[in-house]
Short mmCIF file of all heavy atoms in Angstrom, two decimals:
data_model
loop_
_atom_site.label_atom_id
_atom_site.label_comp_id
_atom_site.label_asym_id
_atom_site.label_seq_id
_atom_site.Cartn_x
_atom_site.Cartn_y
_atom_site.Cartn_z
N ALA A 19 -54.79 83.08 169.53
CA ALA A 19 -54.21 82.13 168.58
C ALA A 19 -53.03 81.41 169.23
O ALA A 19 -52.89 80.19 169.13
CB ALA A 19 -53.79 82.78 167.27
N GLU A 20 -52.16 82.11 169.91
CA GLU A 20 -50.99 81.55 170.58
C GLU A 20 -51.39 80.49 171.59
O GLU A 20 -50.86 79.38 171.64
CB GLU A 20 -50.17 82.62 171.24
CG GLU A 20 -48.98 82.09 172.00
CD GLU A 20 -48.22 83.10 172.82
OE1 GLU A 20 -48.56 84.31 172.78
OE2 GLU A 20 -47.28 82.75 173.54
N ILE A 21 -52.37 80.84 172.40
CA ILE A 21 -52.86 79.86 173.43
C ILE A 21 -53.46 78.62 172.75
O ILE A 21 -53.15 77.51 173.12
CB ILE A 21 -53.91 80.54 174.38
CG1 ILE A 21 -53.17 81.66 175.17
CG2 ILE A 21 -54.51 79.51 175.28
CD1 ILE A 21 -54.15 82.61 175.86
N MET A 22 -54.24 78.87 171.69
CA MET A 22 -54.87 77.71 171.00
C MET A 22 -53.83 76.79 170.31
O MET A 22 -53.94 75.57 170.42
CB MET A 22 -55.89 78.25 170.00
CG MET A 22 -57.14 78.87 170.64
SD MET A 22 -58.19 79.74 169.52
CE MET A 22 -58.84 78.41 168.48
N VAL A 23 -52.82 77.42 169.72
CA VAL A 23 -51.83 76.62 169.01
C VAL A 23 -51.05 75.74 170.00
O VAL A 23 -50.68 74.60 169.72
CB VAL A 23 -50.85 77.53 168.27
CG1 VAL A 23 -49.54 76.81 167.85
CG2 VAL A 23 -51.51 78.12 166.98
N GLU A 24 -50.81 76.30 171.20
CA GLU A 24 -50.03 75.51 172.20
C GLU A 24 -50.77 74.46 172.95
O GLU A 24 -50.26 73.77 173.75
CB GLU A 24 -49.43 76.51 173.19
CG GLU A 24 -48.34 77.38 172.60
CD GLU A 24 -47.74 78.36 173.61
OE1 GLU A 24 -48.08 78.26 174.83
OE2 GLU A 24 -46.93 79.19 173.25
N THR A 25 -52.11 74.37 172.71
CA THR A 25 -52.95 73.38 173.36
C THR A 25 -53.12 72.15 172.55
O THR A 25 -53.64 72.19 171.41
CB THR A 25 -54.34 74.04 173.62
OG1 THR A 25 -54.16 75.28 174.40
CG2 THR A 25 -55.23 73.13 174.41
N ASP A 26 -52.70 71.02 173.08
CA ASP A 26 -52.86 69.74 172.38
C ASP A 26 -54.30 69.19 172.48
O ASP A 26 -54.85 68.69 171.53
CB ASP A 26 -51.87 68.70 172.94
CG ASP A 26 -50.45 69.03 172.62
OD1 ASP A 26 -50.18 69.67 171.54
OD2 ASP A 26 -49.55 68.76 173.43
N ILE A 27 -54.85 69.27 173.72
CA ILE A 27 -56.14 68.72 173.97
C ILE A 27 -57.07 69.90 174.47
O ILE A 27 -56.80 70.47 175.46
CB ILE A 27 -56.14 67.61 175.03
CG1 ILE A 27 -55.23 66.46 174.61
CG2 ILE A 27 -57.60 67.10 175.25
CD1 ILE A 27 -55.68 65.70 173.34
N ALA A 28 -58.12 70.18 173.67
CA ALA A 28 -59.11 71.20 174.05
C ALA A 28 -60.27 70.44 174.70
O ALA A 28 -60.38 69.23 174.57
CB ALA A 28 -59.53 72.01 172.84
N VAL A 29 -61.19 71.19 175.29
CA VAL A 29 -62.37 70.64 175.84
C VAL A 29 -63.58 71.24 175.14
O VAL A 29 -63.75 72.47 175.23
CB VAL A 29 -62.44 70.82 177.37
CG1 VAL A 29 -63.77 70.27 177.92
CG2 VAL A 29 -61.24 70.15 178.08
N LEU A 30 -64.34 70.41 174.48
CA LEU A 30 -65.53 70.82 173.78
C LEU A 30 -66.75 70.64 174.66
O LEU A 30 -66.93 69.50 175.17
CB LEU A 30 -65.71 69.97 172.49
CG LEU A 30 -67.03 70.13 171.75
CD1 LEU A 30 -67.09 71.51 171.05
CD2 LEU A 30 -67.17 69.03 170.73
N THR A 31 -67.56 71.66 174.88
CA THR A 31 -68.77 71.58 175.65
C THR A 31 -69.98 71.87 174.73
O THR A 31 -69.94 72.84 173.97
CB THR A 31 -68.73 72.54 176.80
OG1 THR A 31 -67.64 72.30 177.63
CG2 THR A 31 -70.04 72.47 177.64
N TYR A 32 -70.97 70.95 174.76
CA TYR A 32 -72.14 71.05 173.92
C TYR A 32 -73.35 70.70 174.77
O TYR A 32 -73.22 70.20 175.92
CB TYR A 32 -72.01 70.18 172.72
CG TYR A 32 -71.83 68.69 173.01
CD1 TYR A 32 -72.97 67.85 173.09
CD2 TYR A 32 -70.59 68.19 173.29
CE1 TYR A 32 -72.79 66.48 173.44
CE2 TYR A 32 -70.44 66.85 173.58
CZ TYR A 32 -71.51 66.03 173.64
OH TYR A 32 -71.35 64.67 173.95
N VAL A 33 -74.55 70.92 174.22
CA VAL A 33 -75.79 70.59 174.92
C VAL A 33 -76.25 69.24 174.41
O VAL A 33 -76.48 69.04 173.22
CB VAL A 33 -76.87 71.65 174.65
CG1 VAL A 33 -78.16 71.35 175.36
CG2 VAL A 33 -76.37 73.03 175.04
N SER A 34 -76.38 68.27 175.34
CA SER A 34 -76.84 66.93 174.99
C SER A 34 -78.31 66.93 174.53
O SER A 34 -79.01 67.91 174.72
CB SER A 34 -76.68 65.97 176.19
OG SER A 34 -77.63 66.29 177.19
N LEU A 35 -78.74 65.84 173.96
CA LEU A 35 -80.11 65.72 173.46
C LEU A 35 -81.14 65.85 174.64
O LEU A 35 -82.25 66.30 174.43
CB LEU A 35 -80.32 64.41 172.73
CG LEU A 35 -79.64 64.35 171.39
CD1 LEU A 35 -79.74 62.94 170.82
CD2 LEU A 35 -80.16 65.40 170.43
N ASP A 36 -80.70 65.53 175.85
CA ASP A 36 -81.63 65.74 177.00
C ASP A 36 -81.41 67.02 177.75
O ASP A 36 -81.94 67.24 178.83
CB ASP A 36 -81.54 64.54 177.96
CG ASP A 36 -80.16 64.28 178.58
OD1 ASP A 36 -79.25 65.10 178.28
OD2 ASP A 36 -79.98 63.37 179.36
N GLY A 37 -80.66 67.95 177.12
CA GLY A 37 -80.56 69.29 177.63
C GLY A 37 -79.43 69.57 178.65
O GLY A 37 -79.33 70.66 179.18
N HIS A 38 -78.59 68.58 178.89
CA HIS A 38 -77.48 68.77 179.86
C HIS A 38 -76.23 69.24 179.12
O HIS A 38 -76.00 68.88 177.94
CB HIS A 38 -77.18 67.45 180.57
CG HIS A 38 -78.28 67.01 181.44
ND1 HIS A 38 -79.24 66.12 181.05
CD2 HIS A 38 -78.64 67.41 182.70
CE1 HIS A 38 -80.11 65.94 182.05
NE2 HIS A 38 -79.76 66.73 183.04
N LEU A 39 -75.39 69.95 179.83
CA LEU A 39 -74.06 70.34 179.28
C LEU A 39 -73.15 69.13 179.41
O LEU A 39 -73.07 68.51 180.45
CB LEU A 39 -73.48 71.50 180.02
CG LEU A 39 -74.18 72.86 179.83
CD1 LEU A 39 -73.57 73.92 180.69
CD2 LEU A 39 -74.17 73.28 178.36
N VAL A 40 -72.44 68.84 178.31
CA VAL A 40 -71.50 67.74 178.26
C VAL A 40 -70.17 68.30 177.77
O VAL A 40 -70.14 68.99 176.81
CB VAL A 40 -71.99 66.62 177.37
CG1 VAL A 40 -70.96 65.44 177.24
CG2 VAL A 40 -73.34 66.06 177.74
N SER A 41 -69.10 67.91 178.46
CA SER A 41 -67.73 68.35 178.05
C SER A 41 -66.93 67.09 177.68
O SER A 41 -66.98 66.11 178.43
CB SER A 41 -67.04 69.10 179.20
OG SER A 41 -67.73 70.33 179.43
N THR A 42 -66.20 67.19 176.60
CA THR A 42 -65.40 66.09 176.16
C THR A 42 -64.06 66.57 175.58
O THR A 42 -63.99 67.57 174.94
CB THR A 42 -66.17 65.24 175.10
OG1 THR A 42 -65.42 64.05 174.81
CG2 THR A 42 -66.43 66.01 173.82
N PRO A 43 -62.93 65.84 175.91
CA PRO A 43 -61.68 66.24 175.34
C PRO A 43 -61.59 65.99 173.81
O PRO A 43 -62.17 65.02 173.36
CB PRO A 43 -60.67 65.34 176.07
CG PRO A 43 -61.47 64.17 176.51
CD PRO A 43 -62.88 64.63 176.74
N MET A 44 -61.02 66.89 173.12
CA MET A 44 -60.90 66.81 171.67
C MET A 44 -59.46 67.17 171.30
O MET A 44 -58.92 68.15 171.80
CB MET A 44 -61.82 67.74 170.96
CG MET A 44 -63.34 67.50 171.22
SD MET A 44 -63.97 65.97 170.56
CE MET A 44 -64.04 66.37 168.78
N GLY A 45 -58.87 66.37 170.41
CA GLY A 45 -57.51 66.72 169.94
C GLY A 45 -57.56 67.88 169.07
O GLY A 45 -58.30 67.96 168.10
N THR A 46 -56.71 68.88 169.37
CA THR A 46 -56.69 70.09 168.57
C THR A 46 -55.98 69.70 167.23
O THR A 46 -54.87 69.22 167.21
CB THR A 46 -55.79 71.17 169.27
OG1 THR A 46 -56.48 71.47 170.51
CG2 THR A 46 -55.69 72.41 168.42
N GLN A 47 -56.73 69.88 166.12
CA GLN A 47 -56.23 69.52 164.83
C GLN A 47 -55.62 70.72 164.09
O GLN A 47 -54.50 70.72 163.70
CB GLN A 47 -57.34 68.91 163.96
CG GLN A 47 -57.86 67.59 164.50
CD GLN A 47 -56.81 66.58 164.53
OE1 GLN A 47 -55.93 66.48 163.67
NE2 GLN A 47 -56.81 65.72 165.57
N ASP A 48 -56.39 71.76 163.95
CA ASP A 48 -55.96 72.87 163.12
C ASP A 48 -56.97 74.03 163.29
O ASP A 48 -58.12 73.80 163.68
CB ASP A 48 -55.90 72.46 161.67
CG ASP A 48 -55.18 73.51 160.79
OD1 ASP A 48 -54.55 74.36 161.30
OD2 ASP A 48 -55.43 73.47 159.55
N PHE A 49 -56.57 75.20 162.99
CA PHE A 49 -57.47 76.26 162.82
C PHE A 49 -56.86 77.26 161.78
O PHE A 49 -55.66 77.43 161.69
CB PHE A 49 -57.81 76.97 164.12
CG PHE A 49 -56.70 77.68 164.82
CD1 PHE A 49 -56.37 78.95 164.56
CD2 PHE A 49 -55.97 76.99 165.79
CE1 PHE A 49 -55.36 79.59 165.24
CE2 PHE A 49 -54.94 77.61 166.46
CZ PHE A 49 -54.67 78.92 166.18
N GLU A 50 -57.77 77.79 160.98
CA GLU A 50 -57.35 78.76 159.95
C GLU A 50 -57.02 80.11 160.67
O GLU A 50 -56.09 80.78 160.25
CB GLU A 50 -58.44 78.93 158.92
CG GLU A 50 -58.66 77.60 158.12
CD GLU A 50 -59.99 77.53 157.39
OE1 GLU A 50 -60.69 78.57 157.35
OE2 GLU A 50 -60.26 76.41 156.94
N ASP A 51 -57.81 80.43 161.58
CA ASP A 51 -57.62 81.55 162.51
C ASP A 51 -58.46 81.20 163.76
O ASP A 51 -59.18 80.20 163.68
CB ASP A 51 -58.07 82.85 161.84
CG ASP A 51 -59.52 82.85 161.44
OD1 ASP A 51 -60.39 82.83 162.38
OD2 ASP A 51 -59.77 82.90 160.23
N PRO A 52 -58.39 81.93 164.81
CA PRO A 52 -59.17 81.55 165.99
C PRO A 52 -60.65 81.52 165.74
O PRO A 52 -61.41 80.83 166.48
CB PRO A 52 -58.82 82.65 167.02
CG PRO A 52 -57.47 83.11 166.60
CD PRO A 52 -57.48 83.06 165.10
N GLY A 53 -61.14 82.06 164.67
CA GLY A 53 -62.52 82.09 164.34
C GLY A 53 -63.01 80.79 163.67
O GLY A 53 -64.20 80.53 163.55
N THR A 54 -62.11 79.97 163.18
CA THR A 54 -62.48 78.74 162.49
C THR A 54 -61.55 77.61 162.99
O THR A 54 -60.35 77.61 162.63
CB THR A 54 -62.41 78.82 160.97
OG1 THR A 54 -63.21 79.95 160.56
CG2 THR A 54 -62.93 77.57 160.30
N THR A 55 -62.08 76.73 163.81
CA THR A 55 -61.28 75.59 164.31
C THR A 55 -61.86 74.28 163.81
O THR A 55 -63.04 74.18 163.50
CB THR A 55 -61.21 75.61 165.83
OG1 THR A 55 -62.51 75.47 166.35
CG2 THR A 55 -60.58 76.85 166.36
N TRP A 56 -61.03 73.27 163.76
CA TRP A 56 -61.42 71.94 163.24
C TRP A 56 -61.09 70.80 164.23
O TRP A 56 -60.05 70.84 164.84
CB TRP A 56 -60.71 71.64 161.97
CG TRP A 56 -61.00 72.59 160.83
CD1 TRP A 56 -60.35 73.73 160.54
CD2 TRP A 56 -62.01 72.42 159.86
NE1 TRP A 56 -60.87 74.31 159.40
CE2 TRP A 56 -61.91 73.54 158.99
CE3 TRP A 56 -62.98 71.50 159.63
CZ2 TRP A 56 -62.76 73.70 157.88
CZ3 TRP A 56 -63.83 71.61 158.52
CH2 TRP A 56 -63.73 72.74 157.72
N PHE A 57 -62.02 69.86 164.35
CA PHE A 57 -61.81 68.65 165.13
C PHE A 57 -62.26 67.47 164.27
O PHE A 57 -63.13 67.60 163.42
CB PHE A 57 -62.57 68.68 166.44
CG PHE A 57 -62.18 69.73 167.35
CD1 PHE A 57 -62.93 70.91 167.45
CD2 PHE A 57 -61.02 69.62 168.13
CE1 PHE A 57 -62.55 71.97 168.30
CE2 PHE A 57 -60.63 70.66 168.97
CZ PHE A 57 -61.38 71.84 169.08
N LEU A 58 -61.76 66.28 164.58
CA LEU A 58 -62.19 65.05 163.96
C LEU A 58 -63.08 64.29 164.91
O LEU A 58 -62.79 64.29 166.12
CB LEU A 58 -61.00 64.17 163.56
CG LEU A 58 -59.87 64.81 162.73
CD1 LEU A 58 -58.75 63.79 162.49
CD2 LEU A 58 -60.43 65.27 161.42
N THR A 59 -64.13 63.69 164.38
CA THR A 59 -65.00 62.87 165.25
C THR A 59 -65.74 61.88 164.46
O THR A 59 -65.50 61.77 163.22
CB THR A 59 -66.01 63.84 166.02
OG1 THR A 59 -66.64 63.07 167.06
CG2 THR A 59 -67.02 64.40 165.09
N GLU A 60 -66.63 61.12 165.06
CA GLU A 60 -67.36 60.06 164.36
C GLU A 60 -68.85 60.47 164.27
O GLU A 60 -69.48 60.84 165.23
CB GLU A 60 -67.22 58.73 165.09
CG GLU A 60 -65.78 58.24 165.02
CD GLU A 60 -65.44 57.17 166.04
OE1 GLU A 60 -65.89 57.27 167.17
OE2 GLU A 60 -64.72 56.24 165.66
#
């Protein structure tokens, strides 16, 4: 939790529709605990 709170920009990695790993920076918004984190997107 301490490491996560101190991080402004996290890197989200997901599997693209064509099966490749894609990493993108995401602004750390909030988390209730390390088990539930939130990001804003479109």
Side-chain angles (χ1 to χ4, degrees):
E20 176 187 356
I21 295 166
M22 291 170 67
V23 164
E24 291 182 5
T25 303
D26 293 328
I27 303 295
V29 177
L30 171 71
T31 301
Y32 59 93
V33 180
S34 70
L35 290 173
D36 60 0
H38 294 97
L39 292 176
V40 177
S41 296
T42 186
M44 300 290 288
T46 300
Q47 294 299 322
D48 190 19
F49 64 89
E50 295 161 10
D51 60 66
T54 306
T55 61
W56 297 91
F57 297 101
L58 306 178
T59 194
E60 294 164 319

